[in-house]
Amino acid sequence: MTFMAEFRDAFFEESAEHVAAVEQGLLALDSGAADSEQMNAIFRAAHSVKGLAATLGFPEIAAFTHDMESVLDRLRSGTLAVTPKLGQLLLRANDTLKALLAAAQAGQGSEVDTAEVTGELRAALGAPTTEAETVVAPQSTPAAGAPRTYAIRLLPKRQLFASGQDPMLIVRELTELGHDVSVVCDTTRLPAIDALDPDLCHLIWVVKVTTTASRDEIANVFLFAEDECEHSVRDVTDDPSRAGVAAHAPPLKTPGSDGKPVAAEAASIRVPTDKIDALVDLVGELVISQAMVNQIASDFDMGRLGELQEALASLDRSTRDLQERVMSVRMLPVATVFNRFPRLVRDVSNTLGKKVRLEMQGAETELDKGMIERIGDPLTHLVRNAIDHGLETPADRIAAGKGDTGTVTLRAAHEGGSVVIDVADDGRGLNTKRIREKAEANGLIRPDEVLSDDEINALIFAPGFSTAAQVSDLSGRGVGMDVVKRNVEGMSGSVTLTSTEGKGSRVRIRLPLTLAILDGLIVSVGGASYVLPLLSVVESLRPTPRDVRNILGSGEVLVLRGESLPFVRLHAVFGHDVAITEPSRGIIVIAETDGRRFGLLVDDVLGQQQVVIKNLEANYRKLDGVMGATILGDGRVSLICDVQELFRWTTTRREAAEQLLAAVSTSGEEFA
Amino acid sequence: MAKTALVVDDSTTMREMVSYSLKEAGFDTLTAGDGQQALDVLQGKSVDLIISDLNMPVMDGITFIKQARQRDELKGVPILMLTTESQAGMKEQGKAAGATGWLVKPFNPEMLLKVIAKVVP
């Protein structure tokens, strides 16, 4: 059914919003903060889902929502009191609705058991309600039997027009009931022309029609006009004067619903109209700029160079604007993710017996839709962690001289070209000593390794690390901090952790604004150009010959302000024969990944530029040390380096060297 | 010239579904998310049909219909309310406010066209 297919996606998208709104509203209700308008909003949300579901042919969802709506309606009108128990029930019902929607979207019918919640909802209403009246069958009872002739008299009230009625439409509908139609207009009520009020109806009609339609069907014609138009129906079949024949009104054309193509199952995005309008405007400007350039180029001499430069500048500006606006179409507020947390925090804190207040800031910050979808799980894990491991029990908090209620803060903000999302708590902070013990026990670090507190804390992101003293109900769900980190890095983002013992900790996720564009540092190696993600670049410098040393076990290192950093020769990684191999003649770019810094030897740094990331795997195959490719302004293809993988290049080499070292059992000798 | 209809509903999908059906029937459509928006949209515009939901935020359908009928250019325009079977009593309220007729949800395009034929020439 095309109509359904057309709106299926929109239905699920909007319903998800309504479900979220109901949840938020119910939570506000729970904390006693809901007013009657909020109550109304909750009701409306459920009501909308019901109407849509029924219209689009999801009777199960419509029936279930009907029960929810009934309870909400009673709450709204005040005939049912708000109790915590009822709040819980409605939250459960909302969860069931969510499951129903998910099942329907996945194309599974009655996988979800609604009986229990439905039963409780009906019990809350006080009486076993009958089945919901969701699908109204069109009442068409074809009247059989011989046709009868009726004389139907329409006596409209003078104010008929005020309600938007058109008596001619009623007359026409009557004439279409059958054949042998005659219409007589009675003008006796019509006043003289100077006394005539054109806003009033003065005419009376008599329609004679021979039809098989029943009296009910005739009455149905007056459905909307019952109060505004008196009418009488007289059976004149046996009346000899019935032979009046008038012209048939032309039959109403029935617009065909020509088969629209079935909407594909593609993910859709809802874009505010003003964003699209802005795009259209910009495209207009772009076309004008382009026309200007064309016009100058068609008749160019050096005297017009200034004009050309100006036109190009305007083209440049329009293109950049357009790029930004098109990107913004993919942007959604992080609120779409944040909104799930009030419920989560409430549930988790109830389970753990902790008192938690959730603060959310910057929920309006916009992020690429793709990332919005992928950031939910990592954030959920972090928030859960903050409550489970970060916050103390009320008793512990009071003993530590804090208030008994802990605070978890979710904060999103723009910072430069990236979006930063913080998950912070004011709990006990990380126990650096215990992390170190654990990491040593797990063999992640050697007992004699010298690490700063931050470096130790960062170890909780290492694969296979868990700090929970005992496995709680909430931890051990299969998503560790290492997965959080991997997910974030999969989006070209980074995770950092700061913690103060006794004061709390904060995990900061930094994400690029979009996955499609990257701020890059363009470098040249052996005549080719490569792009390094600017986000990972710390600085670049030309070392003196003395800064570069060869340390056994660590390979080549760069000594920078007293610190030895490993470095990688990009020309060796990418196999360029003709390149600068002497570090003091090239440039070393210092990059940072996972909180560790290392150098990349390149021939030269060419500049900074925004580049569009093209997927290399889709077009060629996965290459080590490369995350994608781009096309530079001069039309050449340039590879985008994967800094994280390049760092592994240094460590694998170092590890190989270390093994060699262990074999010959010498240590720490330095070669100039 | 194509006739123009205004669809007022706080549910985007419902709005789009009604608009879609109207477009199939040859109407140009305008949309609004609540009564106040609808009044704003109608400012200085004439339409041939208004279809409005009743329960909406900011300004509900009944208030909207009452206010619309105050405007000279909207006095004779057919206004259909979008109601559900469970909203008994709303039809009467709507009629009293000046609505021309009603459309019962769940609706389908055929039903919508039948009802429109009752009120739009």
Side-chain angles (χ1 to χ4, degrees), chain A residues 165-447:
Chain A
Q165 305 283 352
D166 183 342
M168 282 323 291
L169 291 173
I170 300 174
V171 170
R172 187 167 76 187
E173 207 177 333
L174 289 172
T175 62
E176 283 163 5
L177 285 174
H179 58 280
D180 288 348
V181 183
S182 72
V183 181
V184 177
C185 181
D186 177 351
T187 55
T188 49
R189 283 205 303 181
L190 202 62
I193 188 83
D194 50 352
L196 185 117
D197 180 346
D199 280 344
L200 298 179
C201 179
H202 308 282
L203 301 174
I204 298 166
W205 287 268
V206 178
V207 177
K208 249 191 220 175
V209 60
T210 301
T211 174
T212 53
S214 69
R215 278 177 177 260
D216 277 354
E217 283 171 84
I218 295 170
N220 202 35
V221 173
F222 294 90
L223 181 65
F224 292 159
E226 248 172 319
D227 300 332
E228 295 93 346
C229 183
E230 284 177 29
H231 65 276
S232 60
V233 181
R234 198 156 52 92
D235 190 336
V236 293
T237 313
D238 305 319
D239 194 324
S241 65
R242 70 181 233 203
V245 178
H248 282 257
L252 250 187
K253 65 169 184 353
T254 38
S257 47
D258 45 356
K260 283 246 170 178
V262 177
E265 279 273 271
S268 63
I269 190 163
R270 202 183 296 162
V271 183
T273 332
D274 56 341
K275 280 193 180 177
I276 294 184
D277 290 346
L279 280 181
V280 173
D281 285 353
L282 271 171
V283 171
E285 278 179 40
L286 198 64
V287 170
I288 294 171
S289 307
Q290 190 233 6
M292 274 167 63
V293 174
N294 271 351
Q295 196 261 325
I296 296 170
S298 68
D299 177 27
F300 185 73
D301 60 62
M302 283 314 279
R304 300 185 70 187
L305 188 61
E307 255 178 273
L308 181 65
Q309 277 168 339
E310 211 170 286
L312 285 174
S314 128
L315 190 64
D316 182 49
R317 202 168 42 241
S318 305
T319 314
R320 214 160 344 105
D321 276 2
L322 186 65
Q323 181 200 326
E324 261 167 42
R325 297 295 175 97
V326 170
M327 287 303 155
S328 83
V329 166
R330 281 189 60 88
M331 298 299 217
L332 289 176
V334 291
T336 42
V337 186
F338 277 13
N339 285 345
R340 71 163 83 163
F341 290 112
R343 173 74 185 278
L344 180 95
V345 167
R346 181 175 176 279
D347 289 352
V348 173
S349 55
N350 279 350
T351 316
L352 294 170
K354 293 181 180 176
K355 288 191 174 176
V356 185
R357 194 178 72 240
L358 176 70
E359 273 186 21
M360 296 195 286
Q361 297 161 7
E364 71 289 344
T365 310
E366 289 190 327
L367 195 60
D368 189 275
K369 180 181 157 73
M371 282 190 270
I372 289 272
E373 281 160 4
R374 286 159 67 183
I375 198 67
D377 288 344
L379 282 182
T380 304
H381 184 76
L382 290 174
V383 169
R384 218 189 275 277
N385 248 5
I387 303 171
D388 195 3
H389 306 316
L391 292 180
E392 313 90 330
T393 59
D396 285 353
R397 286 186 69 88
I398 290 170
K402 302 179 183 176
D404 63 345
T405 306
T407 306
V408 171
T409 310
L410 271 172
R411 182 181 152 271
H414 281 288
E415 245 186 59
S418 49
V419 170
V420 167
I421 303 178
D422 287 345
V423 180
D425 66 71
D426 65 347
R428 57 171 83 94
L430 293 181
N431 186 335
T432 311
K433 201 166 144 256
R434 270 216 17 231
I435 293 173
R436 172 146 203 150
E437 284 165 11
K438 193 112 184 177
E440 285 174 15
N442 291 356
L444 291 169
I445 50 169
R446 290 190 308 270

Side-chain angles (χ1 to χ4, degrees), chain B residues 87-106:
Chain B
Q87 288 172 303
M90 290 305 262
K91 282 179 192 167
E92 286 68 31
Q93 277 189 52
K95 286 291 278 183
T100 311
W102 54 85
L103 179 66
V104 180
K105 284 187 277 193

Side-chain angles (χ1 to χ4, degrees), chain A residues 529-550:
Chain A
S529 15
Y530 292 87
V531 181
L532 300 172
L534 205 57
L535 211 63
S536 357
V537 173
V538 183
E539 61 182 311
S540 57
L541 53 105
R542 167 161 291 164
T544 62
R546 292 199 51 228
D547 293 340
V548 180
R549 304 191 191 166
N550 211 331

Side-chain angles (χ1 to χ4, degrees), chain A residues 3 14 66 88 91 102 104 111 119 126 136 154 200 223 233 290 306 352-353 545 557 563 576-577 597 633 636 662:
Chain A
F3 184 68
E14 180 175 334
H66 177 80
Q88 288 285 5
L91 277 172
E111 299 281 307
V136 186
L154 286 72
L200 298 179
L223 181 65
V233 181
Q290 190 233 6
L352 294 170
V557 297
E563 194 184 352
H576 287 283
D577 297 333
R597 297 191 296 158
R636 287 197 300 170

